[in-house]
Amino acid sequence: MKNSKYELLGRMQHQYHRSHPWRLSQGGLYIPHSYADTKPDSLSWWDDVGFILNRRRVIVWWRHPRHIYADALDGQSWLEAGDGPQDDWLTGSTKNYRRVGASRKKIVSYTSRQPSAEQRLHYDLLRDIRDRLKTEGIDLDVPPSWNLERLAWAMGVNLVAPLEVRNESELASVALLARRLILGQTTLETEFPEYCYSRTDWLREQGGKE
């Protein structure tokens, strides 16, 4: 049975792709980021890549499992630190003006006020907890995962997979994996059998190069 909502999204995706063409690489990929300053042995965290499948755009939001782990570690740091004084120092800014005439002034910038002593102490506590957790790790396992979502302008793929992306060739591997997953030509279990990123992986990488 046809789904009218999905059919409408499909038509919108076709229309958007025709009216807003992507600038693709010679390999047919949309590559939004440069790797000129990326070291060949650096650890990867996240990246984006796009390609065309059945005249529709596919955008892949890829993350390495260590990125999920690091986010969870940050979340645990905030949880252990507890609520701070919440003095909203970032919103209490002062307007800076520049004269643009004999009697007129124009806002050219804003100066944020300094955080309170209590807020600075809370940030120090948060930093200490985060440093400790980075050294100790947390009890978390991150398996590969993926899901597909239909957008008005593209098919979106959220992909968590243990790949390293330091150049366009490695990014192409992310796009190829996403394409094969969408077409049902492979599974993450097939590609990464019994893989799960854990505390052991985190601690090992903390002793290596970042």
Side-chain angles (χ1 to χ4, degrees):
M1 182 177 179
K2 293 184 178 180
N3 187 306
S4 58
K5 176 182 177 181
Y6 290 163
E7 287 184 333
L8 175 60
L9 286 175
R11 291 194 297 271
M12 294 174 67
Q13 291 167 4
H14 286 308
Q15 293 169 1
Y16 189 88
H17 179 53
R18 284 197 301 268
S19 59
H20 300 81
W22 257 343
R23 182 177 297 176
L24 301 178
S25 68
Q26 291 184 346
L29 298 180
Y30 170 66
I31 302 175
H33 304 128
S34 170
Y35 303 94
D37 299 325
T38 304
K39 297 179 181 179
D41 60 346
S42 62
L43 298 179
S44 302
W45 297 86
W46 65 273
D47 213 329
D48 305 324
V49 63
F51 57 88
I52 308 302
L53 181 62
N54 296 330
R55 295 184 295 120
R56 299 181 188 179
R57 292 183 178 186
V58 177
I59 183 69
V60 183
W61 301 296
W62 164 79
R63 290 185 292 172
H64 193 284
R66 72 172 64 94
H67 189 284
I68 309 296
Y69 191 97
D71 281 351
L73 189 148
D74 282 343
Q76 182 65 29
S77 301
W78 282 98
L79 186 63
E80 291 192 19
D83 295 331
Q86 303 296 321
D87 61 5
D88 293 330
W89 61 276
L90 286 173
T91 61
S93 56
T94 301
K95 298 177 182 179
N96 300 313
Y97 296 91
R98 176 171 59 85
R99 288 191 175 278
V100 293
S103 60
R104 294 175 56 223
K105 295 187 296 183
K106 177 182 178 181
I107 298 175
V108 294
S109 64
Y110 295 86
T111 300
S112 296
R113 64 184 177 86
Q114 293 296 314
S116 65
E118 293 80 6
Q119 188 72 63
R120 288 196 296 270
L121 286 174
H122 185 259
Y123 287 153
D124 289 343
L125 173 63
L126 177 64
R127 185 188 63 247
D128 291 343
I129 293 174
R130 183 181 289 118
D131 290 344
R132 174 176 57 81
L133 292 181
K134 286 178 65 176
T135 301
E136 298 176 353
I138 59 175
D139 186 17
L140 177 68
D141 294 331
V142 185
S145 65
W146 79 287
N147 65 69
L148 183 67
E149 58 179 300
R150 293 171 171 85
L151 308 171
W153 62 278
M155 300 294 287
V157 177
N158 291 284
L159 175 62
V160 177
L163 302 169
E164 300 295 345
V165 179
R166 295 155 296 203
N167 52 59
E168 293 187 4
S169 176
E170 292 178 340
L171 183 67
S173 297
V174 174
L176 178 60
L177 174 59
R179 181 189 296 268
R180 296 184 66 214
L181 288 169
I182 294 172
L183 296 175
Q185 298 174 346
T186 190
T187 66
L188 291 177
E189 177 59 32
T190 299
E191 298 293 326
F192 312 102
E194 300 182 1
Y195 176 88
C196 199
Y197 188 93
S198 67
R199 183 202 301 260
T200 300
D201 300 297
W202 174 262
L203 295 180
R204 172 176 50 80
E205 291 176 352
Q206 292 306 296
K209 293 183 177 180
E210 290 291 339

